[in-house]
Amino acid sequence: MTKHFALAAAALAATTALASAADVKMGYALSENSHYGAGAKAFDETLKAELGDAFTVQHFPSSGLGGEREVIEGMQIGTIDATIASSGTLSNFVPEVGVFDIPFLLRDLEHARTVLDGEIGDEMLAKFDDVGLHALAWGEQGFRHITNSRGPIETPDDLEGLKIRTMENPVHIKAFEALGAAPTPMAWPEVIPALQQGAIDGQENPLSVIVSANLNEVQDFASLDGHVYSPAIVMLSGQLWDSLDDTQKAAFEKAGDAAVVAMRDYVDNVEVEGIEALKERGMQVNILSGEQKKLFQDALADVYVDYEAEFGKELMDNIIATE
Ligand code: PAF
């Protein structure tokens, strides 16, 4: 290598290092019109307001960097910097967070937000530092409901043999097995093509997803059973977090909090307006009564014993007791 060429290469390497240090590659599964898009926008704007041009958030919506598991694995090795993701695959990284995926454990949005913003939620966030990640805050998707192309779901009997896509989440898979369905775990980017091709009959997601991903185009029935709360997480790669100074860390934390507020606002709004929107788009929507939901809860009594063994009855009781 000539001296001149070596100097030019060193200069280029330095520039590239600087540029990539300032870019925050953020991947998320849903469109910019979704609650994740709203969260990512608030994150981006807050970071800019706090730190000027020091960091540029590059958005990769709609699974542009792959499924949620791939994105989180990318963050562990530092090829991706940030994400907003569901709890779908989180328990593959930190098994304890699976407790939040237990059906009917979190009662309503207020209960869920109080638990996640409190000591129990904070303790769970801290565990991500042990696996090459840094979790900033718990965001949200809302309560999950069932959509399918076979008919309305009103009782567990209606789920019999239903090929329902679940997240790659052992807690959810176990629950749908107990309810008599045929759960088919699958990464999100494969779901809409699988529904289009009829490879699966249904899927389950909150209104925020059903509405923003236009699932009415591939599903006829939405049964609002709210079987489980769906948290989301705002997270950075451990490498990015460790490279920040204290001022920058505080700014990223503020950006994470702003993302949570934006996501929750979106969810509050879609919980009210989403049902009408789906009906207008031609979907048949049924809302399960308290009594109907109780049938699903009763059918899960045996698996609750397994959940208690796995996650600890004390923790589950503490969550239930949180006001
Ligand atoms: O069903 C899922 O996998 C998740 O809820 C989704 C749609 C990817 C959002 O995180």
Side-chain angles (χ1 to χ4, degrees):
M1 198 187 281
T2 65
K3 193 175 167 208
H4 181 74
F5 184 74
L7 283 175
L12 179 68
T15 317
T16 311
L18 268 182
S20 61
D23 287 338
V24 178
K25 248 171 125 180
M26 183 174 218
Y28 43 97
L30 298 163
S31 73
E32 282 172 314
N33 294 329
S34 68
H35 48 305
Y36 286 1
K41 184 164 177 271
F43 182 91
D44 186 341
E45 288 172 353
T46 307
L47 206 56
K48 250 193 208 97
E50 292 296 306
L51 298 176
D53 292 333
F55 294 89
T56 304
V57 179
Q58 295 181 332
H59 295 253
F60 294 88
S62 305
S63 306
L65 296 176
E68 291 186 330
R69 181 196 279 260
E70 287 163 277
V71 168
I72 297 172
E73 284 169 355
M75 287 167 63
Q76 284 182 310
I77 56 171
T79 54
I80 298 173
D81 303 304
T83 192
I84 297 177
S86 71
S87 62
T89 61
L90 287 186
S91 52
N92 297 302
F93 299 90
V94 174
E96 295 92 321
V97 299
V99 73
F100 299 137
D101 295 311
I102 296 177
F104 301 110
L105 186 68
L106 294 162
R107 292 182 288 279
D108 51 36
L109 290 177
E110 201 190 327
H111 179 219
R113 292 171 185 179
T114 310
V115 171
L116 293 171
D117 292 348
E119 210 177 302
I120 298 176
D122 285 349
E123 276 172 15
M124 294 291 177
L125 291 177
K127 293 184 193 291
F128 287 87
D129 287 312
D130 297 336
V131 294
L133 299 161
H134 182 77
L136 290 172
W138 288 109
E140 114 179 331
Q141 304 213 76
F143 278 84
R144 299 179 83 89
H145 308 296
I146 299 170
T147 69
N148 82 104
S149 52
R150 206 170 72 174
I153 307 295
E154 289 169 340
T155 72
D157 287 348
D158 298 321
L159 280 176
E160 192 55 45
L162 191 86
K163 269 181 135 180
I164 185 165
R165 176 270 175 174
T166 65
M167 299 195 288
E168 297 162 289
N169 179 311
V171 175
H172 288 190
I173 296 169
K174 191 178 252 214
F176 277 100
E177 276 166 356
L179 291 169
T184 311
M186 193 182 278
W188 175 249
E190 296 161 36
V191 176
I192 293 183
L195 289 169
Q196 267 160 345
Q197 288 154 18
I200 47 174
D201 304 312
Q203 65 84 50
E204 49 83 56
N205 251 303
L207 280 166
S208 55
V209 177
I210 302 171
V211 173
S212 68
N214 293 317
L215 288 183
N216 49 286
E217 289 173 4
V218 284
Q219 298 272 262
D220 297 328
F221 302 95
S223 299
L224 308 189
D225 65 331
H227 52 273
V228 68
Y229 176 76
S230 197
I233 200 158
V234 189
M235 200 155 65
L236 303 181
S237 77
Q239 290 184 25
L240 171 58
W241 180 252
D242 291 341
S243 73
L244 301 175
D245 64 28
D246 286 350
T247 309
Q248 292 168 334
K249 282 183 176 165
F252 273 85
E253 271 165 359
K254 203 164 174 186
D257 291 344
V260 172
V261 171
M263 265 185 271
R264 289 180 180 174
D265 283 351
Y266 186 107
V267 169
D268 284 338
N269 187 48
V270 82
E271 292 284 325
V272 177
E273 293 183 358
I275 302 175
E276 271 321 300
L278 292 178
K279 286 184 184 165
E280 276 165 24
R281 295 180 199 171
M283 235 180 169
Q284 188 175 316
V285 182
N286 66 298
I287 304 174
L288 275 76
S289 66
E291 275 170 32
Q292 287 173 320
K293 285 190 193 184
K294 176 94 176 29
L295 298 174
F296 289 79
Q297 277 172 277
D298 291 347
L300 292 173
D302 286 349
V303 287
Y304 249 71
V305 176
D306 296 346
Y307 293 145
E308 283 171 2
E310 189 173 349
F311 297 105
K313 183 162 168 24
E314 197 187 333
L315 174 59
M316 287 170 63
D317 285 345
N318 282 345
I319 291 176
I320 293 166
T322 302
E323 299 283 349

